[in-house]
mmCIF file of all heavy atoms in Angstrom:
data_model
loop_
_atom_site.group_PDB
_atom_site.id
_atom_site.type_symbol
_atom_site.label_atom_id
_atom_site.label_comp_id
_atom_site.label_asym_id
_atom_site.label_seq_id
_atom_site.Cartn_x
_atom_site.Cartn_y
_atom_site.Cartn_z
ATOM 1 N N ASP A 1022 -9.825 -20.885 -15.784
ATOM 2 C CA ASP A 1022 -10.582 -19.724 -16.202
ATOM 3 C C ASP A 1022 -10.789 -18.680 -15.118
ATOM 4 O O ASP A 1022 -11.656 -17.808 -15.266
ATOM 5 C CB ASP A 1022 -11.931 -20.178 -16.757
ATOM 6 C CG ASP A 1022 -11.834 -20.896 -18.092
ATOM 7 O OD1 ASP A 1022 -10.780 -20.829 -18.713
ATOM 8 O OD2 ASP A 1022 -12.877 -21.548 -18.517
ATOM 9 N N VAL A 1023 -10.058 -18.757 -14.070
ATOM 10 C CA VAL A 1023 -10.303 -17.901 -12.859
ATOM 11 C C VAL A 1023 -10.121 -16.438 -13.227
ATOM 12 O O VAL A 1023 -10.797 -15.558 -12.686
ATOM 13 C CB VAL A 1023 -9.389 -18.330 -11.751
ATOM 14 C CG1 VAL A 1023 -7.887 -18.131 -12.009
ATOM 15 C CG2 VAL A 1023 -9.739 -17.542 -10.444
ATOM 16 N N LEU A 1024 -9.254 -16.080 -14.177
ATOM 17 C CA LEU A 1024 -9.038 -14.678 -14.533
ATOM 18 C C LEU A 1024 -9.668 -14.329 -15.895
ATOM 19 O O LEU A 1024 -9.527 -13.184 -16.354
ATOM 20 C CB LEU A 1024 -7.530 -14.384 -14.641
ATOM 21 C CG LEU A 1024 -6.728 -14.657 -13.344
ATOM 22 C CD1 LEU A 1024 -5.269 -14.280 -13.606
ATOM 23 C CD2 LEU A 1024 -7.277 -13.869 -12.200
ATOM 24 N N LEU A 1025 -10.378 -15.311 -16.508
ATOM 25 C CA LEU A 1025 -10.816 -15.061 -17.914
ATOM 26 C C LEU A 1025 -11.790 -13.898 -18.034
ATOM 27 O O LEU A 1025 -11.611 -13.087 -18.907
ATOM 28 C CB LEU A 1025 -11.477 -16.350 -18.356
ATOM 29 C CG LEU A 1025 -12.094 -16.313 -19.757
ATOM 30 C CD1 LEU A 1025 -11.059 -15.915 -20.821
ATOM 31 C CD2 LEU A 1025 -12.756 -17.604 -20.120
ATOM 32 N N GLN A 1026 -12.815 -13.816 -17.140
ATOM 33 C CA GLN A 1026 -13.743 -12.743 -17.286
ATOM 34 C C GLN A 1026 -13.050 -11.369 -17.086
ATOM 35 O O GLN A 1026 -13.419 -10.400 -17.832
ATOM 36 C CB GLN A 1026 -14.863 -12.902 -16.313
ATOM 37 C CG GLN A 1026 -15.948 -11.814 -16.461
ATOM 38 C CD GLN A 1026 -17.137 -12.006 -15.511
ATOM 39 O OE1 GLN A 1026 -17.169 -12.870 -14.721
ATOM 40 N NE2 GLN A 1026 -18.131 -11.117 -15.645
ATOM 41 N N ALA A 1027 -12.126 -11.278 -16.240
ATOM 42 C CA ALA A 1027 -11.407 -10.033 -16.067
ATOM 43 C C ALA A 1027 -10.689 -9.617 -17.303
ATOM 44 O O ALA A 1027 -10.737 -8.433 -17.752
ATOM 45 C CB ALA A 1027 -10.448 -10.114 -14.833
ATOM 46 N N VAL A 1028 -9.974 -10.563 -17.906
ATOM 47 C CA VAL A 1028 -9.226 -10.328 -19.153
ATOM 48 C C VAL A 1028 -10.205 -9.978 -20.310
ATOM 49 O O VAL A 1028 -9.922 -9.046 -21.081
ATOM 50 C CB VAL A 1028 -8.334 -11.491 -19.556
ATOM 51 C CG1 VAL A 1028 -7.675 -11.290 -20.885
ATOM 52 C CG2 VAL A 1028 -7.288 -11.735 -18.437
ATOM 53 N N GLN A 1029 -11.314 -10.675 -20.388
ATOM 54 C CA GLN A 1029 -12.292 -10.300 -21.444
ATOM 55 C C GLN A 1029 -12.832 -8.896 -21.214
ATOM 56 O O GLN A 1029 -12.980 -8.130 -22.160
ATOM 57 C CB GLN A 1029 -13.471 -11.315 -21.364
ATOM 58 C CG GLN A 1029 -13.067 -12.738 -21.825
ATOM 59 C CD GLN A 1029 -14.162 -13.704 -21.604
ATOM 60 O OE1 GLN A 1029 -15.006 -13.579 -20.689
ATOM 61 N NE2 GLN A 1029 -14.182 -14.753 -22.372
ATOM 62 N N ASN A 1030 -13.051 -8.504 -19.955
ATOM 63 C CA ASN A 1030 -13.525 -7.098 -19.678
ATOM 64 C C ASN A 1030 -12.508 -6.080 -20.120
ATOM 65 O O ASN A 1030 -12.875 -5.002 -20.548
ATOM 66 C CB ASN A 1030 -13.916 -6.982 -18.206
ATOM 67 C CG ASN A 1030 -15.163 -7.831 -17.861
ATOM 68 O OD1 ASN A 1030 -15.889 -8.250 -18.718
ATOM 69 N ND2 ASN A 1030 -15.376 -8.025 -16.554
ATOM 70 N N VAL A 1031 -11.219 -6.349 -19.780
ATOM 71 C CA VAL A 1031 -10.162 -5.463 -20.165
ATOM 72 C C VAL A 1031 -10.139 -5.228 -21.659
ATOM 73 O O VAL A 1031 -10.051 -4.083 -22.193
ATOM 74 C CB VAL A 1031 -8.819 -5.928 -19.614
ATOM 75 C CG1 VAL A 1031 -7.665 -5.032 -20.186
ATOM 76 C CG2 VAL A 1031 -8.791 -5.835 -18.048
ATOM 77 N N ARG A 1032 -10.200 -6.362 -22.369
ATOM 78 C CA ARG A 1032 -10.237 -6.281 -23.827
ATOM 79 C C ARG A 1032 -11.455 -5.485 -24.382
ATOM 80 O O ARG A 1032 -11.339 -4.680 -25.281
ATOM 81 C CB ARG A 1032 -10.143 -7.666 -24.457
ATOM 82 C CG ARG A 1032 -9.913 -7.687 -25.971
ATOM 83 C CD ARG A 1032 -9.896 -9.099 -26.454
ATOM 84 N NE ARG A 1032 -9.583 -9.098 -27.912
ATOM 85 C CZ ARG A 1032 -8.385 -9.307 -28.466
ATOM 86 N NH1 ARG A 1032 -7.370 -9.486 -27.545
ATOM 87 N NH2 ARG A 1032 -8.180 -9.285 -29.714
ATOM 88 N N ALA A 1033 -12.579 -5.760 -23.729
ATOM 89 C CA ALA A 1033 -13.814 -5.051 -24.177
ATOM 90 C C ALA A 1033 -13.687 -3.609 -23.950
ATOM 91 O O ALA A 1033 -14.412 -2.799 -24.634
ATOM 92 C CB ALA A 1033 -14.999 -5.659 -23.378
ATOM 93 N N ALA A 1034 -12.847 -3.191 -22.937
ATOM 94 C CA ALA A 1034 -12.663 -1.801 -22.674
ATOM 95 C C ALA A 1034 -11.674 -1.109 -23.663
ATOM 96 O O ALA A 1034 -11.362 0.058 -23.595
ATOM 97 C CB ALA A 1034 -12.131 -1.586 -21.299
ATOM 98 N N GLY A 1035 -11.189 -1.950 -24.662
ATOM 99 C CA GLY A 1035 -10.277 -1.413 -25.674
ATOM 100 C C GLY A 1035 -8.845 -1.386 -25.266
ATOM 101 O O GLY A 1035 -8.081 -0.621 -25.783
ATOM 102 N N ILE A 1036 -8.465 -2.206 -24.305
ATOM 103 C CA ILE A 1036 -7.128 -2.235 -23.854
ATOM 104 C C ILE A 1036 -6.423 -3.591 -24.236
ATOM 105 O O ILE A 1036 -6.974 -4.622 -24.020
ATOM 106 C CB ILE A 1036 -7.032 -2.163 -22.252
ATOM 107 C CG1 ILE A 1036 -7.780 -0.832 -21.812
ATOM 108 C CG2 ILE A 1036 -5.636 -2.205 -21.761
ATOM 109 C CD1 ILE A 1036 -7.969 -0.793 -20.313
#
Side-chain angles (χ1 to χ4, degrees):
D1022 290 346
V1023 64
L1024 303 180
L1025 177 58
Q1026 184 176 0
V1028 174
Q1029 290 173 333
N1030 290 344
V1031 172
R1032 189 181 183 97
I1036 302 170

